[in-house]
Amino acid sequence: EFFEHRGIRPLSMIRAARETLLNDNMQGGSTITQQLIKNVLLTPERTLSRKLKEAVLALLTETKYSKEEILELYLNNVPYGGNAWGIQSAAGKYFGKDVSELTLGESALLAGLPPAPSEYSPLINPEGAKKRQKFVLDKMVSLGHISEDQAKTAYEEEIRVAEHVEYIQAPHFVEYIREQLDTMYGKRFVENGGLTVVTTLDLDVQKAAQEIVTSEVERNLKLNITNGAAVVLGVDEAEILAYVGSVDYFKDEWGRFDVASASRQPGSSIKVLTYSLAFAQGMKPTTKIVDKPTVFNIKGSKPYIPVNYDGKFHGEMTLRDALANSYNVPAVQLASKVGPDNIVKLGREMGLKDWAADGSYGLSITLGGEEVRLVDLANVYATLARSGTYKELSGILYIEDSRGYNIYEKQEKEGKKVLDEKVTEYIWNILSDNNARLPAFGTRNFLSIDNAKVAVKTGTTDEKRDNWTFGYSDKYVVGVWVGNNDNSPMNKSLASGLSGAAPIWNRIMTHVVGGGSVQLQDTSAKVSSLHKPEQIP
């Protein structure tokens, strides 16, 4: 009815107002002219006052411009997803074409995007995009614009979406931030609000981390490693400087799956919680413990008999040696003393918000029996680096609305003290001592950085399904995961600290601290000027 009305449809507006006022069900009743006004002149807030302004301006617009001019303005200003505003921008983003070169199938797909660009995006939801495309084609048939044969041919046409490696930078991070924005403001406002979002991401570090993850996974295919993920945090404010969710976001079938925010078992990398509690309760790195066959009888369950990764027992040792060499039996003995529920409590206080405080965890919690997210566990290590002060992860510096007004600005917070500084000094002293871990990791490992002091901990799950390395300096935290999305085991010859996540961690940490390291390939890693705000692509 666009070419018949004068800018508004009173019956549609009355229906929408009735639903809003009587049934508390906010509905739209906008014409194309009203949508143009909303996108160009007003905010997308769903209020009656805005709808009134929209209607008045639509009537005025219809007196000043022809229908063809209004339609042209609309098509050049409507959002098509991400930073694609207008049909020409959308044609370039999705198909790498000028709008005049689009086929009927491509045009129908793009025409269906504006109501919900993310929901119908061929990048994010290919199946939803095809369904929406068919809806548009069927509508064109019913209106007599095309024949059924033309619609069938267009629908069966192979849609080839353009490569987006250059168009979307840090795509997993973009989606991570977008989910936060949806929670803060609602999907509709985020999609149509014309927001400018300035983030904590350092694009130099991001590019280096992505290249390192991708290249190292490729060289380790023989170990049946097909994917990797990494995050880099700034210690002071828990800001996300790099966020790599997979080896390639644009890889067919599974590349878009974000492992940095996925739940995986952390293996021994979680032991820092157990030892932190032990030290908080008065034990010291010099406290003795005996690594021997131990049976833990748990009411209502089978006896729990932990074993070490090397299948051996190592007799009496200090807690320092037990943590540095990541022996399992001493860690379970400590968990039995400090209590699994207390480990969960400390984990939640240090950033593992997905852990439920329901008392359902057993002693295996200390060996990585409960899943975590890479980005959250990295912040646990950031808490250690901040001498026991927890700060919430941060990815957004500030947000401006379409008119340039600042609607959000990150506030520096003092954080919450969850561990005594002495405890974190013990952890740092142990995990930064390369000599202490020699029995388990040998002399040639990737757990130290030349000319830089860092603390580091590895973790590997049963049957080598997940391999992790986390490390920190006084300024940066680097967390790395490698494995397979389908949870299939990696090659048994993978050796934590020597292959898998550790070499990736070493190269990324070397890049951010500017030290030297054993290079696995010719690279030109440089010290970046960190914390350069980048707008989300």
Side-chain angles (χ1 to χ4, degrees):
E1 299 177 10
F2 171 68
F3 286 93
E4 300 171 9
H5 63 63
R6 295 185 179 182
I8 63 173
R9 289 181 297 182
L11 290 178
S12 296
M13 295 182 65
I14 292 171
R15 170 186 50 77
R18 180 176 180 275
E19 283 295 311
T20 300
L21 294 172
L22 300 182
N23 300 324
D24 197 26
N25 179 24
M26 186 70 73
Q27 284 197 3
S30 298
T31 64
I32 285 177
T33 310
Q34 287 174 275
Q35 291 178 51
L36 170 64
I37 295 300
K38 178 184 67 178
N39 289 333
V40 176
L41 298 178
L42 302 175
T43 68
E45 60 181 339
R46 306 184 75 181
T47 62
L48 291 177
S49 61
R50 193 222 72 196
K51 293 294 291 184
L52 183 60
K53 295 175 187 176
E54 181 185 287
V56 172
L57 290 171
L59 290 170
L60 292 172
T61 300
E62 290 272 345
T63 64
K64 184 174 178 61
Y65 298 100
S66 70
K67 287 289 188 180
E68 287 76 11
E69 288 173 324
I70 292 171
L71 190 59
E72 178 185 349
L73 287 167
Y74 171 79
L75 291 173
N76 285 327
N77 285 280
V78 68
Y80 285 86
N83 58 353
W85 286 75
I87 189 63
Q88 176 70 3
S89 177
K93 171 178 179 175
Y94 293 106
F95 302 116
K97 294 182 176 183
D98 185 88
V99 68
S100 64
E101 300 171 325
L102 293 174
T103 65
L104 175 58
E106 293 167 341
S107 297
L109 191 148
L110 294 182
L113 289 181
S118 294
E119 185 177 345
Y120 301 132
S121 170
L123 295 174
I124 301 172
N125 183 12
E127 290 184 5
K130 285 298 289 183
K131 289 180 180 178
R132 184 68 175 170
Q133 179 200 40
K134 188 175 188 309
F135 173 83
V136 172
L137 290 169
D138 288 345
K139 194 70 173 176
M140 293 179 74
V141 171
S142 70
L143 295 173
H145 294 306
I146 60 174
S147 67
E148 290 188 3
D149 287 342
Q150 286 177 304
K152 184 174 184 295
T153 300
Y155 182 73
E156 293 176 352
E157 171 189 326
E158 182 181 0
I159 299 294
R160 295 186 178 182
V161 179
E163 280 285 327
H164 282 67
V165 175
E166 295 301 324
Y167 197 89
I168 305 178
Q169 301 185 80
H172 282 110
F173 180 71
V174 171
E175 296 301 327
Y176 173 82
I177 293 297
R178 188 183 183 87
E179 287 184 10
Q180 291 187 21
L181 295 173
D182 286 347
T183 300
M184 292 166 67
Y185 300 113
K187 182 172 291 189
R188 182 180 178 84
F189 185 73
V190 173
E191 293 202 343
N192 300 316
L195 302 178
T196 296
V197 182
V198 178
T199 79
T200 59
L201 196 75
D202 183 306
L203 207 52
D204 289 340
V205 177
Q206 173 70 26
K207 289 177 179 177
Q210 182 69 70
E211 185 279 327
I212 291 168
V213 169
T214 301
S215 63
E216 291 299 332
V217 168
E218 286 179 354
R219 78 162 50 238
N220 282 292
L221 293 176
K222 61 183 179 295
L223 293 176
N224 193 33
I225 298 173
T226 59
N227 203 7
V231 295
V232 180
L233 305 182
V235 167
D236 289 345
E237 295 299 323
E239 293 178 341
I240 301 174
L241 305 178
Y243 186 105
V244 178
S246 76
V247 293
D248 183 3
Y249 177 87
F250 303 100
K251 195 174 186 67
D252 289 341
E253 297 183 7
W254 56 263
R256 291 181 178 83
F257 181 73
D258 183 2
V259 186
S261 288
S263 296
R264 311 283 300 205
Q265 290 191 342
S268 292
S269 62
I270 205 70
K271 287 177 182 173
V272 291
L273 295 178
T274 304
Y275 281 85
S276 293
L277 272 176
F279 295 146
Q281 292 182 8
M283 301 183 204
K284 293 184 171 65
T286 54
T287 300
K288 295 294 183 68
I289 195 168
V290 181
D291 178 16
K292 64 180 181 180
T294 308
V295 178
F296 296 89
N297 293 306
I298 303 169
K299 187 176 181 180
S301 302
K302 294 181 179 180
Y304 181 43
I305 309 175
V307 296
N308 292 315
Y309 60 88
D310 59 1
K312 302 175 182 178
F313 298 96
H314 308 86
E316 187 178 70
M317 64 181 65
T318 63
L319 294 189
R320 179 187 187 83
D321 290 335
L323 175 58
N325 294 280
S326 199
Y327 295 133
N328 289 341
V329 176
V332 178
Q333 291 174 350
L334 287 179
S336 180
K337 292 179 180 179
V338 302
D341 290 345
N342 290 326
I343 295 175
V344 172
K345 182 176 181 293
L346 179 61
R348 287 173 55 83
E349 290 177 343
M350 294 177 72
L352 302 180
K353 302 304 182 184
D354 288 345
W355 278 8
D358 58 6
S360 63
Y361 303 99
L363 293 175
S364 64
I365 188 84
T366 191
L367 303 183
E370 185 58 30
E371 295 177 336
V372 300
R373 303 194 314 164
L374 168 61
V375 67
D376 293 334
L377 189 51
N379 200 24
V380 168
Y381 282 83
T383 302
L384 293 171
R386 284 189 296 270
S387 300
T389 298
Y390 166 77
K391 291 187 177 182
E392 189 174 352
L393 275 172
S394 173
I396 301 174
L397 291 176
Y398 64 87
I399 303 171
E400 293 179 353
D401 66 14
S402 59
R403 293 172 293 184
Y405 292 112
N406 194 320
I407 61 173
Y408 170 85
E409 187 166 356
K410 178 181 179 291
Q411 302 295 322
E412 291 191 9
K413 298 179 180 179
E414 293 184 1
K416 179 183 178 182
K417 193 72 172 176
V418 296
L419 281 174
D420 187 80
E421 187 172 346
K422 193 67 177 178
V423 171
T424 60
E425 286 179 359
Y426 286 155
I427 297 293
W428 165 265
N429 187 267
I430 295 169
L431 296 185
S432 63
D433 186 353
N434 200 41
N435 291 325
R437 54 176 163 258
L438 288 180
F441 295 97
T443 56
R444 184 175 169 79
N445 58 57
F446 293 99
L447 303 180
S448 60
I449 306 293
D450 292 345
N451 305 318
K453 188 79 168 178
V454 294
V456 60
K457 183 74 186 75
T458 64
T460 307
T461 60
D462 290 346
E463 299 185 27
K464 298 189 176 178
R465 299 179 188 275
D466 304 271
N467 182 238
W468 311 73
T469 302
F470 290 89
Y472 59 97
S473 67
D474 59 335
K475 292 184 178 180
Y476 309 110
V477 175
V478 177
V480 176
W481 169 92
V482 296
N484 301 298
N485 280 21
D486 63 2
N487 208 35
S488 60
M490 291 171 279
N491 193 299
K492 291 182 179 180
S493 62
L494 181 145
S496 193
L498 302 177
S499 55
I504 298 174
W505 173 86
N506 186 289
R507 289 183 60 193
I508 296 176
M509 181 60 87
T510 296
H511 182 84
V512 296
V513 301
S517 104
V518 179
Q519 292 297 313
L520 301 185
Q521 63 181 37
D522 185 20
T523 63
S524 56
K526 59 184 174 59
V527 183
S528 298
S529 176
L530 292 180
H531 200 279
K532 293 187 298 183
E534 300 287 347
Q535 288 189 14
I536 289 187

